[in-house]
Structures are given as C-alpha cells and as structure tokens.
Amino acid sequence: MSQTHADAPSFRWFLLGARGIFSLPAFILMTSFVGFSAFALESGVSRGEAMFMTAAIWALPAKMILIGMMASGANVLAVFLAVTLSSIRMMPMVASLVPELRGARTPTWLLLILSHFVAITAWVFAMGNLKHIPREARVSYFAGFGLTLVAANTVLVGLSYGIVSTFPPAVAGILFFLTPVYFVGSIWASARHSVVKIAFVIGVVSGPLLAVITPGFDILIAGIGGGTLAYLIDRFVVRRRAIAAASSGEAP
C-alpha cells in the first residue's frame, strides 16, 4: 500500500469502509433483512418498531428471539434475559476484533461504540479486510462499514415492510435463510486456526443430534461442550503432532 494512500484522511477511510455495502456479505445480509421485515409484519410488529429493532439491537437472531417471545406473551424480564444471552455470543467476536482495530491513540469509548456493530457479517468482513488497512485507519474504516450497514438495513426494513406481504411465504423464507447459509461458509473460510475448524465440525455434527436428544439445551451443550472438546483436541492432539513433525524435521 502506498504511503499516500496510507496517509489519507480519516473521512476517506470512512468512505472506503462504507463502500463495503456493495460486498457479497452485505448483500446477503440485506436480503435476510427483507425476510425479517416479512416476519415482523406477520408477527404484528409495526414498521417503526421493526426499524427501531434493526438500529438498536442490530443482530438478526436477537431480533427474531425478541419478536418470537413477544408473540408468545412472555414477560419483559424473560424477553430481556433471552435477548441478552443471545447477544453474549458476540463477545468472542468483539474480543478478537478489538485488538485488530485498536491503534496507539484509539480511545476506549470509541471501541465500545463500534462494538455495537459487531455481528457475524461485520466480523467476517473486518477480519478479512483489516489486514490490508493501516492500523491508524482501521477504526475509521470499520466505522464506515458498520454505520453504513446498519443505516442501510434500517431503511431497507422500512421500505420493504408491507411489500413483502405480496411475496409467497417460500420466497420470504428463502431470503431469510440465505444468511445462515452464507455464515456457515464464511466462518469456515475465515478460520485462521485449526481449533476453529475443529469446533465447527463438532458443532455441525452434534447440533442436530442434541436437538433431538436434549431439545431446549442443544445449543448450550453444543456450544460449551463442543468448544471445550475442540480446545482439548487442538491442544493435546493437533499441536503435539505439529511439534513432533517439526522436531523430526529438525533432527539430523
């Protein structure tokens, strides 16, 4: 990267990040939000409420949980707890992304604000592109992408609300289902360490089985148990084999 490009003002990096709205991850997410607007309409959520959820909660699964529990008549405390727990899954993403964003003079309060935009789409996009961005420009770049992505989808939900009522149910369902399909491929492609791929395989295999054996606790068991098992396999099998291979290669 040229020195001139690296020394570009922050606003230019912000615009470069905003240009990410035309990427494949953003496009697939936007189609999913069209499906979300259909779900909100069918659940009796107003246009304004759906737009507010998009801007304030942002993560799509959390909004689905919120609307589903509202429709079931759950009390406010239960809804709050469920949405909060669903959002805790973003903590590892934030923890891995913040060191990539932080510069020598980056204030903590700014990183806390930007953490609102961290969901799978933003995380995959950032982890794939930040390595090409100068460290001092990464905050501006990510802010441009995150703000634009949230704003665009908030407007999209408002515009598509009502229009989606004319779609066949199968079409709305397909639009909504595109996001998990893309996420599966993106997580595998963006995995930098073997432990991530091991955990991914364990989750794919154990998730459906646990859904039948322990419905209601399947995600919790697959997440905690599968993640722990993947860590143990990576630490005591994969790494030891790598060390042994390296040692045998160094031997005379």
Side-chain angles (χ1 to χ4, degrees):
M1 183 172 295
S2 66
Q3 185 67 26
T4 301
H5 195 56
D7 292 338
S10 297
F11 186 66
R12 182 179 177 185
W13 285 111
F14 182 92
L15 294 178
L16 287 172
R19 196 170 61 183
I21 194 68
F22 300 108
S23 63
L24 180 62
F27 173 75
I28 293 179
L29 183 64
M30 291 171 75
T31 61
S32 298
F33 269 97
V34 174
F36 164 74
S37 63
F39 179 70
L41 176 65
E42 292 297 324
S43 301
V45 175
S46 69
R47 185 195 308 267
E49 290 170 340
M51 294 178 67
F52 178 77
M53 288 179 186
T54 303
I57 300 175
W58 179 229
L60 193 55
K63 289 193 287 291
M64 300 299 296
I65 292 172
L66 174 59
I67 293 178
M69 296 194 69
M70 289 170 57
S72 68
N75 63 62
V76 175
L77 181 60
V79 174
F80 173 81
L81 181 61
V83 174
T84 300
L85 290 175
S86 74
S87 299
I88 289 177
R89 65 194 172 85
M90 304 296 180
M91 290 181 64
M93 298 183 195
V94 175
S96 63
L97 183 58
V98 165
E100 300 294 328
L101 290 175
R102 188 188 298 274
R105 296 179 294 179
T106 306
T108 301
W109 63 265
L110 182 56
L111 293 173
L112 291 174
I113 292 175
L114 292 179
S115 66
H116 173 69
F117 306 115
V118 177
I120 294 183
T121 300
W123 183 82
V124 169
F125 179 86
M127 297 302 285
N129 290 278
L130 287 180
K131 58 180 176 287
H132 305 300
I133 307 299
R135 181 165 292 275
E136 63 275 10
R138 291 179 180 181
V139 166
S140 299
Y141 183 83
F142 182 74
F145 178 71
L147 283 168
T148 304
L149 191 64
V150 172
N153 281 285
T154 301
V155 173
L156 179 64
V157 168
L159 292 176
S160 60
Y161 187 93
I163 298 177
V164 292
S165 62
T166 62
F167 292 175
V171 173
I174 290 171
L175 290 174
F176 187 79
F177 193 66
L178 278 176
T179 293
V181 171
Y182 172 75
F183 287 167
V184 168
S186 297
I187 292 174
W188 181 268
S190 62
R192 298 182 179 180
H193 305 288
S194 59
V195 65
V196 177
K197 293 189 175 182
I198 296 172
F200 182 92
V201 172
I202 293 174
V204 169
V205 174
S206 65
L209 294 176
L210 291 171
V212 177
I213 299 172
T214 57
F217 296 92
D218 49 327
I219 296 178
L220 180 64
I221 297 174
I224 297 177
T228 302
L229 180 60
Y231 170 78
L232 294 175
I233 293 174
D234 179 72
R235 183 171 183 83
F236 294 105
V237 179
V238 177
R239 293 189 185 182
R240 288 189 177 182
R241 286 183 179 178
I243 294 173
S247 300
S248 61
E250 294 173 358

